Amino acid sequence: MLERVSDLFRQSFGGEPAVITRAPGRIEFIGNHTDYNGGTVLGAAVDGGLWVAASPRRDARRRWRSAIGEAVVETGEALVKLEGESAWVNYPQGVMAAMQSHGLTLPAGFDYAVASDLPVGAGLSSSAAIELSSALAFLELTNQSVDRETLVKIGRQAENDFVGVPCGILDQGVSGFGRRDHLVFIDCRRPEFSTVPLPAGAHFWIFNTHTKHALVDGLYSARHAECMAAAADLGVEQLADASLELFYREQSRLSPTVAKRARHVLEEIDRVGQTIAALNAADLSALGRHLTASHRSSQHAFENSTPELDSLVDQLTTMAGVYGARLTGGGFGGAVMALTDGSFGEAYVKLADQVAEGYRSRWGAEAQVLHLLTDDGAEVIRAMPS
Ligand code: ADP
Ligand code: MG
């Protein structure tokens, strides 16, 4: 990737980039729809991400180039939202707007190229990866630095306020705090970040269905509203403030639908705790059971799964070598993650092929298969020469 982004930079602008940064994508390991309820979540930074190469310019021109776009895009000093093919520039421009609101200096003119080995829109958060790699590049260009919490905040702010996507803290938190062979634990209320070691020999597989429920935005807001109603009915500020005991005692007062949503979120937060216990005991089988239990709760209680995702989990959980499987991300389409054992070898390629074949024969469509390992969080690869 270092070569790829350097090549793209050279082809687009000539010369060597002064600065190179990278930030990883992420998977939601467990903790489904817990973030906006003030709960906890575990994620993993993955070994695919976005790489930014940049050099300062003497003038105030800003030139942008991505491998996913055709041409070089040029902007001036004003941070103006772009549309159409150049809309991707809103992510790094949003980062600059967020930096400004934190009192940081912006680089004037620069040349910027970004390359990626992370599929776009696969639920692996290429958006957080472009935000964090861009933020690190802009900080390098201006000889500034911020702590990780601020870096994460800047990324999220770019997406929430400038791009206009109301994402939670998981994406940027994991891209920022990721660590190889670890999971990132986030207490979303504060938010607070830490890492938990992942037992050796854990492998991730992603089966991306490329399906997306037509009403997905409406369904998200409906679930959000149901969770807020549950909190109000239980007399707490955020749903995560309610204990499971309180919920079990009071659930008959809630409407059946609201009670199901609340049960999912509160049991899921409890599962995150049990997952950490399983991680500390290096118990991969228990880990897998919690993952699959999370999916079943999505399927039956939160109702954010789909028949396609269910079929993948059904198939995966009958296979030798699979500890557990669940939908990863918001649901209503998207991808299933499986945690599997062993070294990556012939047997696992076959296993993945078998799942893909099962999916093809059932749905007449292709599932994209990705094999992922954990990786470190956002970092500067080439620092600005002083
Ligand atoms: P994801 O689940 O991958 O985060 P999003 O829809 O949140 O999906 O973000 C995808 C957007 O991030 C793309 O539409 C694009 O604007 C931006 N993006 C992702 N990868 C790249 C890239 N390699 N170059 C430029 N922009 C990118
Ligand atoms: Mg995203």
Side-chain angles (χ1 to χ4, degrees):
M1 284 306 294
L2 182 64
E3 265 319 296
R4 249 173 68 189
V5 75
S6 307
D7 282 349
L8 184 66
F9 185 93
R10 277 191 293 267
Q11 286 163 18
S12 310
F13 309 114
E16 281 299 310
V19 167
I20 296 180
T21 60
R22 65 160 274 280
R26 63 99 188 92
I27 47 185
E28 175 196 287
F29 187 76
I30 194 166
N32 187 253
H33 286 263
T34 54
D35 55 356
Y36 56 82
N37 288 298
T40 50
V41 61
L42 280 163
V46 298
D47 58 341
L50 268 77
W51 292 64
V52 169
S55 284
R57 294 178 56 88
R58 292 178 192 282
D59 56 25
R61 292 166 72 192
R62 293 175 181 156
R63 300 197 294 175
W64 311 87
R65 175 83 159 95
S66 164
I68 69 166
E70 293 273 299
V72 171
V73 180
E74 182 158 341
T75 63
E77 225 162 326
L79 300 172
V80 180
K81 244 184 120 167
L82 305 179
E83 278 172 34
E85 254 195 30
S86 311
W88 68 267
V89 177
N90 294 333
Y91 288 85
Q93 283 205 111
V95 166
M96 298 180 86
M99 281 174 63
Q100 217 162 22
S101 80
H102 282 261
L104 293 158
T105 305
L106 298 187
F110 53 79
D111 293 329
Y112 168 113
V114 58
S116 164
D117 58 355
L118 196 66
V120 180
L124 296 174
S125 204
S126 62
S127 58
I130 193 173
E131 287 149 15
L132 267 65
S133 50
S134 298
L136 283 180
F138 300 145
L139 290 165
E140 271 304 304
L141 288 175
T142 49
N143 284 307
Q144 300 172 100
S145 63
V146 298
D147 58 30
R148 285 275 132 174
E149 279 79 3
T150 307
L151 182 72
V152 164
K153 211 181 271 180
I154 286 171
R156 183 182 179 190
Q157 213 172 311
E159 188 147 348
N160 290 172
D161 299 348
F162 197 86
V163 180
V165 177
C167 60
I169 195 67
L170 172 73
D171 300 356
Q172 293 82 10
V174 174
S175 186
F177 282 87
R179 191 170 160 199
R180 184 167 302 180
D181 298 323
H182 287 69
L183 297 176
V184 179
F185 172 76
I186 307 178
D187 183 341
C188 302
R189 180 196 315 263
R190 297 173 179 278
E192 226 167 53
F193 309 88
S194 53
T195 55
V196 191
L198 187 65
H203 288 246
F204 295 107
W205 290 83
I206 294 286
F207 299 89
N208 179 18
T209 66
H210 294 293
T211 57
K212 188 176 171 187
H213 202 292
L215 303 173
V216 65
D217 291 338
L219 287 164
Y220 278 139
S221 28
R223 293 298 181 279
H224 188 274
E226 287 158 356
C227 290
M228 298 306 131
D233 291 347
L234 292 169
V236 290
E237 196 182 321
Q238 299 192 86
L239 191 45
D241 294 333
S243 64
L244 264 177
E245 293 69 36
L246 173 74
F247 169 72
Y248 291 138
R249 202 167 60 232
E250 304 285 330
Q251 59 175 320
S252 58
R253 292 196 296 106
L254 277 51
S255 88
T257 302
V258 167
K260 277 203 287 189
R261 309 302 187 235
R263 178 155 60 81
H264 172 74
V265 170
L266 292 173
E267 290 183 350
E268 185 76 356
I269 292 169
D270 191 54
R271 261 191 296 276
V272 172
Q274 292 180 49
T275 301
I276 288 173
L279 284 165
N280 289 336
D283 186 345
L284 282 158
S285 309
L287 265 186
R289 280 198 302 279
H290 299 318
L291 296 179
T292 306
S294 165
H295 183 82
R296 296 306 176 200
S297 178
S298 278
Q299 184 178 353
H300 302 296
F302 209 68
E303 296 178 285
N304 61 331
S305 186
T306 62
E308 287 90 342
L309 298 173
D310 295 341
S311 76
L312 283 169
V313 170
D314 291 346
Q315 197 188 350
L316 280 159
T317 49
T318 62
M319 295 179 122
V322 176
Y323 293 117
R326 62 182 291 271
L327 70 81
T328 176
F332 306 113
V336 161
M337 173 204 86
L339 181 72
T340 70
D341 72 4
S343 55
F344 178 50
E346 181 106 347
Y348 292 93
V349 177
K350 279 203 192 115
L351 178 142
D353 283 349
Q354 214 177 311
V355 176
E357 179 51 42
Y359 188 84
R360 193 179 302 122
S361 64
R362 171 83 196 268
W363 302 102
E366 298 296 323
Q368 174 189 25
V369 182
L370 301 165
H371 173 240
L372 300 168
L373 296 170
T374 57
D375 208 345
D376 290 329
E379 63 187 327
V380 175
I381 302 290
R382 180 183 297 166
M384 183 76 177
S386 45

